[in-house]
Amino acid sequence: MKIFSLTLVFILSILTCTIAQQNPNEAYTLLKPDHVFDGQQMHNGWWVLVKGNHIEAAGEPSTIQTPPSAKIIDLKGTTLMPGMIEGHSHLFLHPYDETSWNNQVLTESRAERTARAVNHAKSTLMAGFTTVRDLGTEGAGYDDVGLKAAIIKGVIPGPRMGLKALLPRPV
């Protein structure tokens, strides 16, 4: 599992830099790891072709039609796997063994909590989680919406964010 996490950190860092420098609708990147785990099986010697930020093809090298303009990234000794999904997160909170909920929500400024959330988003992505379901800011208003927008715009690195549905309260 440690190999998977380290591999994801490496791959996501490379992809983020590569995609940020090119038009994401046209840029191709060919990833050449030793192994690809597709979520069910381990495949040796497979390649993965990425167009923009979507997987265009994965499989045996003979089945991949690589455009001449593709950036090739050799990943010897690595295993690629799909990104993981975290279903219950609070990016605007940090662990209670560091600071209690009351201290975070009542004494930390929204600016500090947002700065922490930016760091938490990046750490979550680097740990291999490409999607999170964030369940609220715990007192920081709609700053989670701004965090999501900053990630989408590429201002900061982070996973795709699904936000807790904002439902009207019963009267």
Side-chain angles (χ1 to χ4, degrees), residues 29-48:
T29 305
L30 180 65
L31 305 173
K32 297 167 64 175
D34 283 348
H35 314 284
V36 173
F37 179 66
D38 66 8
Q40 295 181 356
Q41 292 182 315
M42 187 70 72
H43 302 278
N44 297 325
W46 271 28
W47 291 354
V48 177

Side-chain angles (χ1 to χ4, degrees), residues 9 13 20 43 46 66 70 86 93 96 101 106 112 131 133 137 140 142 144 152 167:
V9 169
S13 297
H43 302 278
W46 271 28
T66 307
E86 209 285 72
L93 293 176
Y96 297 144
W101 184 90
L106 299 176
E112 179 182 351
T131 304
R133 179 172 170 250
T137 63
Y142 293 103
D144 52 347
I152 290 170
L167 302 174

Side-chain angles (χ1 to χ4, degrees), residues 100-157:
S100 72
W101 184 90
N102 282 343
N103 282 343
Q104 293 178 63
V105 174
L106 299 176
T107 64
E108 292 179 356
S109 70
R110 282 179 63 178
E112 179 182 351
R113 295 190 63 216
T114 299
R116 289 184 185 278
V118 167
N119 289 331
H120 295 158
K122 181 179 180 181
S123 296
T124 300
L125 179 63
M126 293 298 104
F129 292 90
T130 57
T131 304
V132 297
R133 179 172 170 250
D134 194 70
L135 298 178
T137 63
E138 304 288 330
Y142 293 103
D143 291 351
D144 52 347
V145 176
L147 181 68
K148 178 179 180 173
I151 291 169
I152 290 170
K153 290 177 182 178
V155 175
I156 59 170

Side-chain angles (χ1 to χ4, degrees), residues 29-105:
T29 305
L30 180 65
L31 305 173
K32 297 167 64 175
D34 283 348
H35 314 284
V36 173
F37 179 66
D38 66 8
Q40 295 181 356
Q41 292 182 315
M42 187 70 72
H43 302 278
N44 297 325
W46 271 28
W47 291 354
V48 177
L49 181 65
V50 179
K51 180 181 181 184
N53 59 1
H54 295 284
I55 295 173
E56 181 93 357
E60 297 286 337
S62 62
T63 67
I64 307 272
Q65 294 181 352
T66 307
S69 64
K71 178 174 182 155
I72 298 172
I73 301 176
D74 193 2
L75 301 169
K76 293 284 184 208
T78 64
T79 299
L80 290 180
M81 64 176 270
M84 296 178 283
I85 298 172
E86 209 285 72
H88 184 130
S89 65
H90 293 274
L91 294 175
F92 281 79
L93 293 176
H94 47 101
Y96 297 144
D97 64 349
E98 293 176 7
T99 305
S100 72
W101 184 90
N102 282 343
N103 282 343
Q104 293 178 63
V105 174

